[in-house]
Amino acid sequence: MMEWLIELIISACFILGALLILTGGVGILRFPDFFTRMHAAGITETLATSLILIGLMLMAGWGMVMFKLVLILLFIMLTSPTASHALAKSALHGKLKPITFNEQSKE
């Protein structure tokens, strides 16, 4: 009974992770400017990768593989938001202006 529940949780993590990757890709294609596209990519990448890694951890069980997956998850949770922030900050310093609500409604 417990194995069935763990397999169900693993499947849910993989499916949700894949759906988040898909919605992030759609967001990159559909959003109007650099900042909203970067937001879609950064948020979905962090959450989707986390869900997929959690599913892999549950599949691996206790051991060295799980330890390595935890290290990868910690690395991604630290670096992905930092990289997104640095990219947005450099775009602002490069005089790239975000589209505001008033500018978007005129189009």
Side-chain angles (χ1 to χ4, degrees):
M1 180 67 180
M2 188 66 161
E3 294 160 3
W4 181 81
L5 182 63
I6 291 175
E7 286 182 17
L8 184 68
I9 294 170
I10 291 169
S11 299
C13 286
F14 286 158
I15 290 169
L16 285 173
L19 286 175
L20 281 171
I21 290 170
L22 184 65
T23 58
V26 170
I28 290 171
L29 295 174
R30 300 278 308 189
F31 283 150
D33 70 333
F34 171 78
F35 295 99
T36 54
R37 289 177 183 164
M38 191 187 59
H39 178 73
I43 295 294
T44 57
E45 185 261 338
T46 302
L47 188 56
T49 306
S50 299
L51 283 171
I52 291 171
L53 284 171
I54 289 169
L56 287 172
M57 284 182 225
L58 291 172
M59 267 178 97
W62 295 103
M64 186 57 85
V65 174
M66 183 181 217
F67 176 71
K68 290 177 182 179
L69 289 170
V70 168
L71 289 179
I72 292 169
L73 180 62
L74 287 174
F75 178 76
I76 287 174
M77 294 300 283
L78 291 173
T79 58
S80 181
T82 306
S84 294
H85 178 76
L87 196 56
K89 198 79 157 163
S90 67
L92 284 173
H93 284 293
K95 307 290 189 252
L96 185 63
K97 302 232 185 246
I99 295 176
T100 61
F101 181 72
N102 293 335
E103 293 172 2
Q104 195 173 16
S105 61
K106 291 177 185 176
E107 293 176 1

